[in-house]
Amino acid sequence: MRKKKIYETDPWLEPWSGAIDARQERILSLKEEMAPEGRLSDVANNHLYYGLHRTEKGWVIREWAPNATRLFLLGDLNGWKRSDQYAFRTVGQGNWELELPASALSHGDLYKLWIEWPGGGGERLPAYVRRVVQDPDTYLFCAQVWEPAEPYVWKYRRTGKRKHPFIYECHIGMGGDAEKVSTFDEFRCSVLPRVHKLGYNVLQIMALQEHPYYGSFGYQVSNFFALSSRFGTPEQFKQLVDEAHRMGIAVIMDIVHSHSVSNDLEGLSHFDGREDLYFHAGGRGQHPAWGSRCFDYGKSEVRYFLLSNCKFWMEEFHLDGFRFDGVTSMIYRDHGLGTDFGNYELYFNQGVDEDAVSYLGLANILIHELNPNAITIAEDVSGMAGLAAPLACGGVGFDFRMAMGIADHWIKWIKEQRDEEWSMGAIWWELTNKRADESTISYAECHDQALVGDKTIIFRLIDKDMYWSMSKQSRNLVVDRGLALHKMIRLVTAATCGGGYLNFMGNEWGHPEWIDFPREGNGWSYKYARRQWHLVDDDSLLYGMLNDFDIRMVHYLRKEAVLEDVPVQLYVDEGRKVLIFRRGNSTFAFNFHPTASYEGFRFHAPDGEYTMEFNSDEKRFGGYSRLQDGERHVTVGGELSLYLPSRCAVVLKKTR
């Protein structure tokens, strides 16, 4: 059966049907051009050719540097001196090759390239380098031979499909309690069990690709095929992934293909003297907001580089998919800066970088060829129609898109309005206003809202009282309000999500303060680049109660398969600040009013019997137990009657 195109299911897109069909044809034509005999994943193998590899005779290293006139290998093997013995030879089409005996290199040896070009030359790291380490004294980066005596042996299979992912977004380095860069092993032993207990079924890891500046949060990538050595070895990361799979947790990475660090010595910029080897020339090759280099997705060499990168991470580390960062920046020539995307025409005009859109379509094809159960997520603020629709429907092929506006609205409501001014209709609209033909990942806040200069939801709600009043013995009205709204905001966001839900590490239990990486301005301190797990583990504090609520929420939504159904509004009352909706057999009732509680609150509901599964006011969740556990309710005349305490959420399950 032919799948309907997105302009057939959404009549507002019909004026751009030609552009949508042309976009689809462009992607399919490029796939045919690259893989005329079948699978795109069979030809995206640049990483198997370029870079350093073992051979039957010894070693071979290859580079693509068409502007180079000479190329040398420098390193521990030759005292870091250029010599003809370690000079590459040209092998055509801009490629260079050097073969070495087995004795020339050993595990752990350091090396670099010296590339000469007309009018200059300099040290470079190989474009396809798989291991990069930083000298603790000079802070310079070097490539490192990585061939351990005992390669990691995988023990567990990948997880199955995650139709409705519950994502735990995390950063390995700041995942520990100590003021330092934490490791893969520490995360595996200390944080992964927490994720499993919470009930999240997908781990989304940031900052895995090597990046020179730790404070970039991993978004200024220099070495696309190198796992960041700050956190440990490839074997240690593989063990983390394997252990996650044992627990039934899929692992995806935050992949950065939207730009590259502008550094020449560590990255791809001016690799062989040319500014346009991997990137656009001139101003188009410079990101005006990020100070980084912008890929030329129209070049076949760039497409092969990036597609091979996707394949490498999936095959080498058994990853289950990717969250593509900075998609808006990729797909618009102006990077979406200062653009108000309120018109469909903006998705199909000359301002769109169709080369970038085509690359993303190809990447989705390749990823799902390698693993049909893989997860791909687009971080796009523009709302480009079709981005998360199937290619056969005229889309780009992502499984999900980030519902980025939801977090912005929560901050806006908390920051700019009193609770009494919150509109239940506006909350419902923003949480449910999603394209029917695309799945989304909803979140109340991710890492973005926790960065220095901003505030997390809990910090906006409680502010300085977090320092003095989070003890179970010293709470006050400010803290009570913060705890109540923190739980309600998360539940209403998760229960209305369009396909999946995301939470950033530690925010589930209200991690205090902000994220600030070591930098000159803070004395290179790690104080705010960590997660203070001791707070949630302290039974005398309130954090553990928020954590327990998150556990109950996630496990309930998963166990009852709540996300399989579409949320249906049952009741909205702006004056009384009540929002009630059902989803499948579950009914969610929210009273956002700061002071008013309602006895015998009646609303229409499907006939039957209902049991209260849990509510946000339970004592174990930091509430005041104004409701009785396991309350049962029966419809009378097509209506349910509830006691709805102020600032409380009630979850009912239809049992008959």
Side-chain angles (χ1 to χ4, degrees), residues 197-347:
K197 184 178 180 180
L198 284 162
Y200 290 86
N201 59 10
V202 177
L203 190 69
Q204 178 180 302
I205 309 180
M206 307 173 64
L208 288 176
Q209 295 167 292
E210 191 60 86
H211 46 290
Y213 180 46
Y214 185 51
S216 75
F217 228 143
Y219 290 130
Q220 293 270 345
V221 173
S222 53
N223 313 108
F224 288 79
F225 291 83
L227 179 73
S228 181
S229 60
R230 288 183 180 88
F231 314 129
T233 68
E235 287 66 40
Q236 290 166 339
F237 179 56
K238 290 176 182 179
Q239 189 177 7
L240 190 165
V241 174
D242 216 9
E243 179 66 8
H245 286 165
R246 184 190 71 79
M247 294 177 172
I249 300 172
V251 182
I252 66 176
M253 73 177 282
D254 208 343
I255 198 166
V256 182
H257 283 179
S258 48
H259 63 133
S260 176
V261 71
S262 60
N263 304 31
D264 290 352
L265 293 179
E266 295 89 0
L268 300 172
S269 187
H270 301 97
F271 184 76
D272 64 353
R274 286 174 50 185
E275 70 166 341
D276 62 345
L277 185 65
Y278 287 94
F279 311 108
H280 287 290
R284 192 176 174 191
Q286 307 286 336
H287 199 291
W290 299 342
S292 52
R293 300 303 312 278
C294 301
F295 285 109
D296 182 352
Y297 303 101
K299 296 183 73 168
S300 63
E301 294 88 353
V302 172
R303 288 196 297 269
Y304 274 105
F305 177 84
L306 296 175
L307 290 171
S308 299
N309 191 236
C310 294
K311 182 176 180 179
F312 166 77
W313 285 99
M314 291 186 73
E315 293 194 335
E316 182 69 18
F317 296 107
H318 287 203
L319 296 182
D320 302 286
F322 305 96
R323 180 254 202 192
F324 278 75
D325 177 70
V327 167
T328 308
S329 178
M330 294 175 71
I331 59 180
Y332 299 100
R333 291 176 181 266
D334 65 358
H335 309 294
L337 298 173
T339 302
D340 180 13
F341 291 97
N343 189 321
Y344 274 5
E345 193 270 336
L346 294 172
Y347 303 146

Side-chain angles (χ1 to χ4, degrees), residues 27-246:
I27 294 170
L28 294 176
S29 295
L30 280 172
K31 178 186 178 293
E32 177 66 21
E33 177 186 317
M34 296 178 70
E37 298 182 5
R39 289 164 54 93
L40 184 61
S41 55
D42 290 338
V43 301
N45 294 314
N46 276 26
H47 59 295
L48 302 179
Y49 178 79
Y50 295 108
L52 179 66
H53 299 280
R54 265 288 194 181
T55 67
E56 293 182 0
K57 297 180 180 180
W59 301 89
V60 65
I61 182 169
R62 302 185 186 95
E63 284 297 330
W64 177 59
N67 193 48
T69 55
R70 288 201 299 175
L71 201 152
F72 298 91
L73 184 67
L74 311 177
D76 293 335
L77 79 168
N78 58 12
W80 300 89
K81 295 180 180 179
R82 281 171 276 165
S83 68
D84 291 341
Q85 181 181 356
Y86 299 101
F88 287 63
R89 64 186 180 93
T90 59
V91 291
Q93 297 183 310
N95 294 316
W96 297 77
E97 181 181 275
L98 172 63
E99 294 182 290
L100 296 167
S103 60
L105 295 170
S106 299
H107 175 67
D109 284 353
L110 302 178
Y111 66 98
K112 289 185 179 182
L113 303 177
W114 178 273
I115 301 179
E116 295 182 0
W117 53 80
E123 290 184 352
R124 295 291 186 268
L125 297 182
Y128 289 80
V129 63
R130 297 191 183 187
R131 175 74 173 172
V132 173
V133 294
Q134 186 177 25
D135 187 288
D137 297 320
T138 66
Y139 300 108
L140 297 176
F141 287 83
C142 281
Q144 186 178 46
V145 178
W146 197 256
E147 193 188 36
E150 298 183 9
Y152 186 79
V153 178
W154 294 96
K155 300 178 181 65
Y156 304 101
R157 295 182 179 180
R158 291 178 173 89
T159 60
K161 190 171 183 64
R162 292 287 181 263
K163 183 179 179 182
H164 299 295
F166 284 79
I167 301 172
Y168 199 80
E169 182 187 36
C170 64
H171 182 283
I172 300 297
M174 60 173 290
D177 209 320
E179 295 184 29
K180 63 166 191 154
V181 178
S182 292
T183 67
F184 293 126
D185 281 349
E186 290 168 337
F187 189 96
R188 173 176 55 82
C189 295
S190 299
V191 183
L192 195 58
R194 296 178 186 271
V195 180
H196 183 242
K197 184 178 180 180
L198 284 162
Y200 290 86
N201 59 10
V202 177
L203 190 69
Q204 178 180 302
I205 309 180
M206 307 173 64
L208 288 176
Q209 295 167 292
E210 191 60 86
H211 46 290
Y213 180 46
Y214 185 51
S216 75
F217 228 143
Y219 290 130
Q220 293 270 345
V221 173
S222 53
N223 313 108
F224 288 79
F225 291 83
L227 179 73
S228 181
S229 60
R230 288 183 180 88
F231 314 129
T233 68
E235 287 66 40
Q236 290 166 339
F237 179 56
K238 290 176 182 179
Q239 189 177 7
L240 190 165
V241 174
D242 216 9
E243 179 66 8
H245 286 165
R246 184 190 71 79

Side-chain angles (χ1 to χ4, degrees), residues 624-637:
Y624 285 93
S625 297
R626 289 171 288 176
L627 294 162
Q628 294 183 1
D629 294 343
E631 285 183 359
R632 294 183 179 275
H633 302 267
V634 179
T635 52
V636 177

Side-chain angles (χ1 to χ4, degrees), residues 341-362:
F341 291 97
N343 189 321
Y344 274 5
E345 193 270 336
L346 294 172
Y347 303 146
F348 306 105
N349 63 19
Q350 295 303 308
V352 177
D353 186 342
E354 291 293 348
D355 290 332
V357 176
S358 295
Y359 162 68
L360 291 172
L362 294 173

